Amino acid sequence: MDLEHFLKKMPLFSSVPDAQIRKIADFFHIATFQKDTIIFEQGDPSDAMYIIYSGAVFIYARKLQNHDQALIQIELGRGDFFGEMALLSDLPRTAGAKVTLDATLFCLKKEDFHTLLMQNRQIGLFLSRLYARRLSFGADEGSLKPTPVFYTLCATDPNLGLSHFLYSMSYHIATESDKKVLVVEPYLSLEIIMEKFDLSPISCPDRSLYHLLPPKLYSSGDIRWFCHASGFCVLQVNKGFNEQLIPVLPCLMENLKMQYDLVVFSLGHYLGRFGRQAIRLCDKNLLIINNTPSALSGVKDKLSILEDIAGVGLDRVRVGVSHLCGTTGIPRESLKKTLNLSETPQIWVERSEKAIKDRIDTEKRFPVKGARAIARELSGVRIGLALGAGAARGWSHIGVIKVLQQEGIHIDMIAGTSMGALVGTIFAAKGSVDHLIKSTIDRFERRSQVRHKIFDYTLPLHGFLRGKKAMNLVAHAIDHADFMDLLIPTYVVGVDILKGEEVLFETGDVAKAVRASISVPALFAPIRYDGRWMVDGGLLNPVPVNVLEQKGADKIIAVCVESPHINAAQTVRSPGIRQVIARTISIVHGRATSGFVEKSDVVVYPDVQGFAWDDFHKGKVLMQRGEAACRSRIKEIRALV
């Protein structure tokens, strides 16, 4: 039971149901190590991964950097895990591990680790996203650059808009990143490619691409090259010839990865021998599905085939929904459960004129969705916005968002705590700053309006405020939305006051989740949510950068309205009860904000010192402070994106 409780608090297992946690706990065994014990050395065979229950472990490695040996080192503590990368790659240990403080570790053997990945897709998804951000080292750090990634794209049925999605995605990858993209077409004919997707024929970019292929295997007409004006290329293989490529496909892929950062094999809806070989060899496999009830059986069969071919790995098969077939679809949350997916599938193909006509969608719409959303994910350019706690001072978040929108910096996901949750969810509902301003600060121009529209006082048995008015404010502004209705994926942080645990809200009633997150103890009465008594998320996670990291954000902008340096209160009178409570929470938030900075790419600190926690009627001034702070960092933000 102790291990179950410990695992549930770890981000690695945070999305795994409680029933599965109990099964997972059975895989682990306990190992104890004394200080200075070597757990394993760099170069040792990989046989297990470890989670630190207590103590400390030092990770160290020697990496070749400009013919010199560069030392890489880090110390890990309770809740950290290590050793899993060697298990995933099945290669020798790339680093050593030494105990620096007597440690108790939970150990997971190699075969059990692979079983765990097969049975719990959420863990593979978490690791995949985590390493996409953490392990893409730069050359200046003396570590390996990320290798090019091979993808396949197929569909469960014809007429789901596969080509529309593929070429729209390729366009956005090429125009939103510096990645060189190649589409391999083993089935689509020459005439269809050129007519539909505005491609121009080109000569082979580099004849050395074929140098590992047998010279008599092909003729010049078997392989043709095209290029789009945006920069992505297409390699079209004549029908019939693709079968001859099956035995030499690894050689061709080896050549292609020297020239391209991202290669996508377009496999259509029928998996022949060539398609099966490509799925086995590629790192990731994308599947567009028809989500109608009548097609569900076929979707299950196709997904099962893909997973059998792809094998164990980090999120090897991704699923997205097409709305081009049928009129009544299965809700995406139901699809996740029915198909046992690692996450709720996104809508990759909407019913639009360009999708129906099978043309490239080149528009840079916001909120980001569809092919462009996946393109930004594959490109590694998704922007996450972390909005911190801070009561009325959180109105400055609106100024930051306003500047980002004016500068055309599109936000792919949001994580919010307390007031950051309120601002973030209202913005995410419409993707509009104007709507955000009208729904918030425009409603509270005078203190009397604040008292009337937010402060619903009650007998202070559990808190001074009931919080119902604040919840209704959010519910009205977002049209009583569910998290699935938000146009921008958003995550809300709360705290279980009885267990002292952080809780992440990402499904269900948005307004109720925000009400939980803003429940400053003693000011707001706690709210019961799914059997838990919830209070202000800022107690444990005032600026939820780690949530965005877990959800796959590539670049993170954090906004913090609490200073880690607490100034003495400027008053000569004894503070009242509300001031004492607000000051206490401000100190707690300030002390807890020190850990997020190193995980952020840019941190914006609006100058809001001197504003009281209940200065909600000063929204326009606070918004201006947010604008000024964001403008002061805009060059860094632009460089980031």
Side-chain angles (χ1 to χ4, degrees), residues 264-460:
V264 186
F265 290 86
S266 178
L267 303 182
H269 69 283
Y270 172 74
L271 293 181
R273 291 177 59 236
F274 179 88
R276 289 171 179 267
Q277 174 79 324
I279 290 169
R280 187 180 66 83
L281 293 172
C282 285
D283 303 292
K284 305 268 185 176
N285 301 277
L286 307 178
L287 174 65
I288 301 176
I289 69 170
N290 181 347
N291 71 328
T292 57
S294 60
L296 189 58
S297 176
V299 170
K300 288 182 179 179
D301 291 342
K302 179 63 73 69
L303 185 59
S304 177
I305 292 171
L306 256 67
E307 290 173 342
D308 287 343
I309 300 171
V312 178
L314 295 182
D315 196 31
R316 291 294 302 277
V317 179
R318 289 283 308 281
V319 171
V321 174
S322 171
H323 282 171
L324 290 189
C325 287
T327 55
T328 304
I330 301 172
R332 287 184 286 142
E333 276 295 318
S334 298
L335 279 175
K336 177 187 177 183
K337 296 177 182 178
T338 304
L339 300 176
N340 190 24
L341 302 177
S342 59
E343 64 178 344
T344 304
Q346 296 172 268
I347 300 170
W348 288 358
V349 182
E350 294 190 304
R351 182 176 287 277
S352 65
E353 182 179 356
K354 288 188 176 179
I356 294 171
K357 292 183 177 180
D358 212 14
R359 297 294 189 270
I360 297 178
D361 185 355
T362 61
E363 291 188 48
K364 301 292 185 182
R365 283 186 290 269
F366 181 74
V368 179
K369 56 184 177 179
R372 187 184 176 211
I374 301 302
R376 288 170 66 86
E377 179 179 344
L378 302 191
S379 301
V381 298
R382 287 185 298 176
I383 303 297
L385 180 64
L387 302 177
R393 289 175 289 184
W395 287 148
S396 60
H397 293 318
I398 300 175
V400 174
I401 295 173
K402 180 178 179 181
V403 170
L404 294 177
Q405 191 167 75
Q406 289 174 342
E407 295 291 329
I409 296 168
H410 292 170
I411 301 302
D412 296 271
M413 63 184 75
I414 299 170
T417 294
S418 198
M419 196 61 177
L422 185 147
V423 171
T425 53
I426 295 176
F427 176 63
K430 305 288 184 181
S432 165
V433 173
D434 289 339
H435 172 76
L436 175 59
I437 294 172
K438 290 177 183 177
S439 302
T440 53
I441 60 178
D442 279 357
R443 294 169 58 86
F444 309 107
E445 295 183 344
R446 297 184 301 278
R447 186 178 288 276
S448 60
Q449 292 175 313
V450 176
R451 289 195 297 268
H452 177 66
K453 296 179 180 179
I454 294 183
F455 292 167
D456 43 4
Y457 290 101
T458 183
L459 290 175

Side-chain angles (χ1 to χ4, degrees), residues 163-296:
S163 294
H164 156 77
F165 173 79
L166 170 62
Y167 285 95
S168 299
M169 179 180 73
S170 300
Y171 170 85
H172 288 296
I173 293 173
T175 54
E176 299 205 26
S177 73
D178 58 358
K179 290 187 179 295
K180 295 177 65 177
V181 185
L182 175 67
V183 174
V184 179
E185 285 282 9
Y187 303 115
L188 202 59
S189 68
L190 168 67
E191 293 77 13
I192 293 176
I193 289 178
M194 294 189 65
E195 177 185 350
K196 284 187 175 181
F197 307 115
D198 299 321
L199 298 169
S200 302
I202 60 173
S203 57
C204 176
D206 187 346
R207 298 298 301 179
S208 67
L209 290 170
Y210 305 143
H211 81 275
L212 292 181
L213 300 183
K216 296 182 180 180
L217 180 70
Y218 64 96
S219 65
S220 58
D222 290 328
I223 301 176
R224 305 189 186 189
W225 290 84
F226 305 90
C227 186
H228 190 268
S230 64
F232 72 83
C233 294
V234 177
L235 169 58
Q236 192 253 334
V237 180
N238 281 352
K239 290 182 179 179
F241 178 62
N242 60 63
E243 293 288 319
Q244 300 178 50
L245 281 179
I246 293 174
V248 295
L249 188 56
C251 296
L252 179 61
M253 292 173 67
E254 184 179 346
N255 295 343
L256 293 177
K257 75 178 182 180
M258 298 177 186
Q259 298 288 336
Y260 296 94
D261 300 302
L262 199 150
V263 179
V264 186
F265 290 86
S266 178
L267 303 182
H269 69 283
Y270 172 74
L271 293 181
R273 291 177 59 236
F274 179 88
R276 289 171 179 267
Q277 174 79 324
I279 290 169
R280 187 180 66 83
L281 293 172
C282 285
D283 303 292
K284 305 268 185 176
N285 301 277
L286 307 178
L287 174 65
I288 301 176
I289 69 170
N290 181 347
N291 71 328
T292 57
S294 60
L296 189 58

Side-chain angles (χ1 to χ4, degrees), residues 471-493:
M471 186 166 71
N472 289 339
L473 166 72
V474 176
H476 177 75
I478 64 175
D479 295 331
H480 302 272
D482 182 276
F483 275 92
M484 292 290 292
D485 300 321
L486 299 179
L487 299 181
I488 305 169
T490 302
Y491 311 97
V492 171
V493 176

